Amino acid sequence: MLNLLWTIPVFPFLGFLILLFFGERLPRKILALVGAGSVGVSAAVTSLVAYAFITNPPEGHAFHQVLWTWISVGDFHPQIAFYLDALALVMAGVVTGVGFLIHVYSIEYMGTDKDFARFFACMNLFVFAMLVLVLADNLLLLYIGWEGVGLCSYLLIGFWYREPANCTAAQKAFIVTRVGDTVMAIGFFLLVVQLGTLDVQGLMERAQSEWGPASGMATLAALLLLGGAVGKSGQLPLQTWLPDAMAGPTPVSALIHAATMVTAGVYLIARTHVLFELSSTAMMAVAVVGCLTLLLAGFSALVQTDIKRVLAYSTISQIGYMFLALGVGAWSAAMFHFMTHAFFKALLFLAAGGVIHALHDEQNMFKMGGLWKQLPVVFWTFLIGSAALAGIPLIDAGFYSKDAILWAAYSSEHGSFLLWLGAWIGAIMTSIYTFRMVFISFFGEAKNHVHHKPGLTILIPLIILAALSLVAGFIELPHNMGHIQMFSHFMGTAFESAGEHAQTMAEPGGEAMFQILAGVGSLAGVLIAWWFFLKNPASADSLASTPTGSRLHHFWKSGWGFDAFYDKVFVQPFRWISEVNKADIVDGFYSAIAGATQLTHSVLSLTQTGRVRWYAAWVTVGSVMILGALLFK
Amino acid sequence: MTVLPVNGGLVLAAGLFAIGLLGVLVRRNLLYTLMCVEIMMNAAGLAFVVAGAKWGQPDGQVFFIFILTVAAAEVAVGLALVNQIYRRFHTLDNDSTSSMRG
Amino acid sequence: MTSTDFLSLLPFIVLSVLILALMGEISYRRDHALVAWTTLGGFLATLVSVLVASQASPHTQEPLLVVDGFGLFFIALLVLASLPVAALAKDYLEKRPGYREEFYMLLCTATLGGMILVSAIHFATVFIGLELLTLSLFGMIAYTRTSGRSIEAGIKYLVLAAISSSFLIFGLALIYFELGGMGFAEVLEAVKGGDHRETVLLAGLALTLVGAGFKLALVPFHMWTPDIYEGAPAPVTAYIATASKGAMTAVLLRLYLMGGKEMPTGLWIALALIAVASMFAGNLLALLQENIKRILAYSSISHLGYLLVAFLAGGTYAVEAVVYYLVAYMATSLGAFGVVSVLANKSGEIEELDDYRGLGWRHPFQGGVLTAMLLSLAGIPLTAGFVGKFYLVAAGVDGSTWWLLFFLVLNSAIGLYYYLRVVATLYDVNQKEESTFSPLALSGGVVLAILTLVVIGFGVLPGPFIAWIRDHLT
Amino acid sequence: MTLVLLVFIPLAGGLIAGWMGGKDSTACRWISLGALGLDALLALGLAFHYLGGSGNPGDSRWFIEWSQPWIPQFGISFHFAMDGLSLVMVLLTLFLGLIGVGASWTEIQERVGFFHFNFLWILSGVLGVFLAMDLFLFFFFWEVMLVPMYLLIRIWGHENRRYAAVKFFLFTQASGLLMLISIVALALLHPGNGQGVTFDYNVFLQNPLHGPAAKWIMLGFFVAFATKLPAFPFHPWLADAHTEAPTAGSIILAGILLKTGAYGMLRFILPLFPTAVHEFSTTAMILGVIGILYAAILAFAQDDMKRLVAYTSVSHMGFVLLGIFAGTDFALKGVVIQMICHGLSAGAQFMLVGALYERIHTRDMRKMGGLWDAIPGFGVATMFFAMASLGLPGLGNFVAEFMILVGSFQVAPKLTILATLGLIAATLYSLRLIRRAFHGPRQDEKAYPDLTLRERALNGAFALGLIWLGVYPQPAINAVTPTLKSIQSSAATPMAEHNAISGESQ
């Protein structure tokens, strides 16, 4: 059964090919069938494989499938090969499962778009690339998926390419992530040159044996990989592309820019965790990046007016949590949060998409309002998603996964109070902005008319995801609340070399207090949001209209000025140089030579006067010169 | 003492040559040009005679005869051409025979 | 006169007889075709006589002449260059009014002068040969006297040639004054002997060089070239470019072989400067030139500059290089001017580049030949010019004259520009309709075809000829 | 003899095609297609025989060798030989040649015969370059291809063709003459095999030249190859030539002619002048890196689509230069893959631009926009090759650039990091091209025909090649491994001695 592994990515790829070559000719029903069906088959195969993997774990809790040798140079033999362990399986499951739901959702959501086929082609290609990414057994193959998802992200953000702003957003996404990718590529060079392989397992072993802890080389390599991870996952300082990426259709935002692709960075670090563990500096860097990002994004999310941008910033922020978890060595907590986040964030996006769809592409929250009556299913699912995002205690998955991270941020050997505090403030912020969104969009007076209600293909995925957002948390409960460790045990097979730091440090009494703090924090956030945005909206406005307030508001809304900064420092100088040198200065040099030659020609031509006396004079001059040369040399 | 007059002959020849050359350079009338060329050739001839005298050989004078012949032939052709030029351009100004240039 | 004398001088005698025969023929009855065919036959007979003479060579006619392999080779070369000129002239003069027959006599006397030049081992002989050649050229250049430019060219050449001859003979006089003789061997001996560098001798040498430089159109004695090339009838231009220059080159080569290789430094520097200046002046002047004959004239200046590089390099390959290059250059120039000549129509020659637009499409043969010749001048592979350039480089490398080589390369690049300009014009799509080229006559066609074959043959299979040069000339 | 046939079939085909052209253009196209097809079959036969394993060449350096004296006085001979590197390049040449004929099927309507004559002669010259193992013969072919290429640009090119054609010719010819000096100098200064002067590659190879002379000679070669490659600062000819050439001309210019420069460096510079290369390598690598970035910035600034693609070639060839002079196993293999992949991706891009020009009659991207709407097939194809060009993993260019960069990282990490920025720059210009031409609102509402079946097939061939090299480049790598190994060993052995000597003196 495990041998079917290679087919998991193949189905979406076949779907892509069919859609690419016959997309123009096939009827929409077939297109939908191919587009969503290929992912569905893939999801089914994944569950078969998962079943086999869990019931009958392969040796070493990892399954390795080599298709062929890709390149072979000297001792370097990267293969086209897949590697399945718990980590990859969870990722693949989420990618295919959530992916399938989103595909189904898209059938209706994109149903009237004239580029239906292109949409599904890109989506299928994305799923293929993402699966390659998560199943790759070496970093080079991972890089195929890594850049492949980047390409699909670009294609889908710019899906409505007739709108220049969308194109710009797409380009920005590609370029910014490419910057990270390039840093990562340099990391690969370092790894190949130093360790001679890119096979993840081999690499980890060699890193441990050749570099040992606290090695500068390990730090360097880990930081370079981190560069790639922050690019893809929208973390500081490369987070600027993600909010703009919302220009794509909403299912794209759900699948690529919330559930799967943007967590690739998390996956990468988890995959190479051995390397990171060799360097406490790198670990610290990951944690700090995560912590700062979650705060920054949280504040930015607070002031957005576009519902998708709120969700985008919240995605950045939540991935910040995952990075924080990674940085403190809470590997399985990070993956746990990844999984729950995939469910509830996909849900939120899809639900938001339902709203947007119903209001004829209206994304501004302040033009919504009162929707809970008109779109009850959407409202309730959205509310569940919001609760999970905000981490409302006990009832939802988000609480458990986030709690695990908060606890680890404090208790792990890499953790600290400051990290916890940041994460805690972030949690409060999360719940404020989440419920701000809920209150503004769904409550209050209706400012817009619902044009058409979503159909079943939209609602069913919502309901499934909502259910998952609620129950997924119960597979991993803190030891003082049922102590279920299904997930971390399962994950432990992938992280066994690392071990879980959080548990070893745990002091029994402390954890409960932190859980209470977390719960209180999120509930307080809901209250604050209720006060400012539903009960007493004027107070929020007056707060924002003070000079400091409006400056802060603007500052946060523009994502802390990163865009402007990058524009000044990178974009404009580059444009300037390219514009100045458009005609190629070097060419000017050669043109100057050519010009000088032609000038000489004209001057010399003047000497050819056609007058015999002038010619005779030159004969004379020449003879004098030769005389001179011979006589007075 | 005997060398000096011989060298003197050479100097004279050189002077004549220079005069002829200068004439070519400054005179515009083609006839004068031809005459000046003639002077140059004869200057060279004189130099040969002087040199022959230095070595006590007849070769110098023989050569002078060659030169005379050549000069005569050249002038003959030259005058014929001058004739043609006058018919065609109605001038003997050699600066004006410069339709080809550049 | 012994039989050896007779045998060895047979080429001279045959040609002289030819001149006499032509004179008689013309005085009896003017028949252009007959005279032309007689000339061609006579030239062929001369070629045969060269073979005969080679049996008797080397044979020295002290102190003036030598008939040896070297001389005979160049005699043959001169005759081979004169043959196509005669053939081209036949077509060319047909289209011109006036008497045509005397032209062939002048051609023969000029060639005889050239033959004397290449056999000379004494400066007196050089003088005689040179003047014979030059005097005949006066007539040839101005031959189409209905054309103002022809006469203008004639008088210019006459005046300037006479001046340069004066320089030459004055120089000779000085040499004679110093040495009491003008044999090549004597002069070279004196020049080589470092302690004997009398001022007068050096001055004589310098003035002699002026004469040679003029004939070879080297800077700064080059100025006559474009005007005379333009004004002279195309076959004559071809002759000046090839036979006249070839003969003078042969003299220099003989001097070089007899010991001029070890020239005084001052002379070397002067020649190097002349070479570089010639390359630059020739190429730069040709750069944007619009008259094809002037382009070729300027290009000939630079080509002689290239040739000088081999002389100056003085390595093992110098002589081979010069000979090969000269032969290649002569064949190519004959071909190029040959095309101009066959294209000329009744109203005159077609020289403006603009008129050649689209020639390659309208007259593929003429266009193709001209293209081949231009590419050979540019030194593109598959042509003799390429091997020639290779040879020059080999000689330069062998003599380690790196700077000269550098300039050579630089100038080749400049040269390419205008050669290509012409080639491109030939294949330009928007052709000019009003220019009416003469249809191709048989003799012209045959000449061009043979020359093209030679140019390409020497480019593709240079081996045999190189071997021959090595066996016979060095 | 097979090798001679390989070179002479296109030559003969060109003559026949040129002769037929006046009468029947279609026949003439088929003749050139046939001649190239025949040649390609021949080459494929060789490939199967020698790379398929059955005809293992044993320890001989060459698969086939053929030699006939040509100018024995200088030890010059018609010496053809083929090894893996040559074979790969020959295959690439013929592939692109076939594509080129296909791409000009409808584009060239005037003087079809002469066009194909020139086209086939160029290919013949290139094939000669890849197979000649006598330096004189090499130079001969090196130059032979120039004139037809010149005419190709000059006659069938776009608006500014005169300028571009002359520029192309002058740059390559001037640098070529420097190489001629170097070749002759090498032949004359080299001790040879004891039988007088020789131009034979094998002789030089056995006994590489050292010392100051070697340095200067090497520079002569370098300038010629760097101009052809082209490397900064010898690149300005390329933008004009590529932009103005007809499509087929651009394809083979970018696809093959540039590769002759890289090939020359691999074949001649590295093994023949090991010590000189050792001293010079840093400079060359710096030039390579400058080229990568400089050309990328230039590409970004262009409005003319073809010019943009042209500059990307310079940028990509910067990687080649970097890799060659890094000289490691990785880098050299990457260089070969890069040569092939760039041939394919740039060829395809030029073909697309050409096909686009046939439809909308402009290459100015300011006049395009939103074309995806009108001609989605073009959009997909352009996107694909733009991605290949920016080094998307999974396509050949990525493999190539990755290997080159790893290889150069081994010897020059800092330079390599700079070079890696080229990947970002490549993204910038590639996306800009897509953005300006295919995305955004339409500029006009005219309908244009999308890719025809013929064009789809040609693009498909390119795309398959790139994908194949992207996921399974091993056959190509294996084919050139022995060659590169011997290049490296001849480059390394004397260097080791050199180091040993200098080590002792310290």
Side-chain angles (χ1 to χ4, degrees), chain A residues 265-333:
Chain A
V266 179
Y267 172 75
L268 175 74
I269 295 175
R271 184 91 278 177
T272 57
H273 62 94
V274 179
L275 179 64
F276 277 84
E277 280 182 334
L278 289 177
S279 159
S280 54
T281 319
M283 291 292 275
M284 182 53 88
V286 176
V288 169
V289 163
C291 193
L292 285 179
T293 310
L294 73 90
L295 283 171
L296 249 63
F299 281 103
S300 286
L302 197 55
V303 294
Q304 301 301 319
T305 53
D306 182 324
I307 190 167
K308 283 181 74 180
R309 279 184 91 86
V310 178
L311 291 172
Y313 275 112
S314 95
T315 305
I316 298 176
S317 173
Q318 295 307 305
I319 297 171
Y321 278 105
M322 296 176 214
F323 268 65
L324 175 61
L326 296 170
V328 297
W331 311 112
S332 79

Side-chain angles (χ1 to χ4, degrees), chain D residues 217-357:
Chain D
I217 295 175
M218 190 275 294
L219 276 180
F221 278 97
F222 179 79
V223 169
F225 294 143
T227 306
K228 199 68 154 244
L229 192 58
F232 180 90
F234 306 110
H235 64 276
W237 66 269
L238 176 133
D240 292 297
H242 281 57
T243 312
E244 302 299 334
T247 303
S250 303
I251 291 175
I252 53 173
L253 256 179
I256 334 173
L257 256 68
L258 306 191
K259 308 304 176 297
T260 58
Y263 170 84
M265 289 187 183
L266 284 174
R267 175 74 79 201
F268 298 109
I269 292 188
L270 289 192
L272 297 187
F273 314 101
T275 41
V277 166
H278 185 60
E279 287 163 22
F280 185 67
S281 59
T282 312
T283 316
M285 285 166 77
I286 290 174
L287 286 181
V289 173
I290 295 178
I292 293 171
L293 298 176
Y294 187 80
I297 295 174
L298 270 170
F300 181 80
Q302 302 308 316
D303 295 318
D304 184 327
M305 202 183 210
K306 215 169 170 186
R307 216 175 167 81
L308 188 155
V309 178
Y311 278 120
T312 68
S313 289
V314 183
S315 186
H316 286 126
M317 290 299 113
F319 282 103
V320 169
L321 186 62
L322 176 71
I324 288 174
F325 280 87
T328 54
D329 191 25
F330 264 104
L332 292 183
K333 284 173 181 164
V335 163
V336 176
I337 305 293
Q338 174 84 334
M339 281 155 77
I340 305 172
C341 292
H342 174 259
L344 299 180
S345 68
Q349 283 182 307
F350 279 120
M351 194 174 69
L352 282 169
V353 177
L356 194 61
Y357 185 80

Side-chain angles (χ1 to χ4, degrees), chain A residues 13 20-21 24-25 68-76 78 80 114-115 118 140-141 143-148 150-151 154-155 158 161-165 167-168 170-172 174-175 178-183 185-186 188-194 196 198 224 574-575 577-591, chain D residues 163 167 171 232-237 240 294 296-298 300-303 307 311 329-330 333 366 370-374 376 380 383 387 390-394 398-399 401-403 405-407 409-410 416-417 420-421 423-428 430-435 438-442 456 469-474 477-478 481:
Chain A
F13 189 67
L20 177 68
F21 288 112
E24 305 282 309
R25 266 159 273 171
W68 68 82
T69 299
W70 185 4
I71 307 168
S72 172
V73 181
D75 299 327
F76 180 66
I80 302 286
K114 86 179 188 59
D115 289 322
R118 183 160 60 90
L140 206 57
L141 182 60
Y143 203 63
I144 289 193
W146 189 270
E147 294 264 282
L151 167 67
Y154 161 75
L155 291 174
Y161 55 82
R162 290 166 199 88
E163 191 63 49
C167 304
T168 312
Q171 273 182 306
K172 186 174 173 186
F174 200 123
I175 292 165
R178 180 91 175 171
V179 171
D181 298 354
T182 303
V183 175
I186 295 173
F188 290 175
F189 304 153
L190 185 72
L191 290 172
V192 176
V193 171
Q194 292 290 325
L198 282 177
L224 288 169
F574 182 82
R575 279 181 182 280
I577 288 179
S578 76
E579 209 47 47
V580 164
N581 196 32
K582 191 170 181 174
D584 193 356
I585 297 170
V586 180
D587 192 27
F589 170 71
Y590 291 106
S591 304
Chain D
Y163 174 72
K167 199 168 177 181
F171 268 81
F232 180 90
F234 306 110
H235 64 276
W237 66 269
D240 292 297
Y294 187 80
I297 295 174
L298 270 170
F300 181 80
Q302 302 308 316
D303 295 318
R307 216 175 167 81
Y311 278 120
D329 191 25
F330 264 104
K333 284 173 181 164
R366 286 169 298 194
L371 288 177
W372 199 301
D373 256 351
V380 172
M383 181 71 81
M387 288 304 141
L390 66 78
L392 190 79
F398 167 73
V399 173
E401 278 162 20
F402 176 79
M403 287 167 71
L405 290 169
V406 168
F409 196 86
Q410 290 170 336
T416 307
I417 290 172
T420 312
L421 293 182
L423 297 179
I424 302 175
T427 317
L428 295 178
S430 295
L431 294 191
R432 189 171 158 95
L433 185 150
I434 299 283
R435 164 76 183 80
F438 289 96
H439 286 168
R442 283 295 299 275
R456 276 171 206 263
L469 287 162
V471 295
Y472 191 52
Q474 205 52 41
I477 296 179
N478 288 342
T481 301

Side-chain angles (χ1 to χ4, degrees), chain C residues 290-315:
Chain C
E290 285 296 329
N291 182 310
I292 195 162
K293 281 171 92 182
R294 290 183 86 87
I295 291 180
L296 291 170
Y298 289 130
S299 110
S300 81
I301 298 173
S302 56
H303 277 282
L304 266 296
Y306 300 154
L307 199 61
L308 219 46
V309 172
F311 272 115
L312 291 164

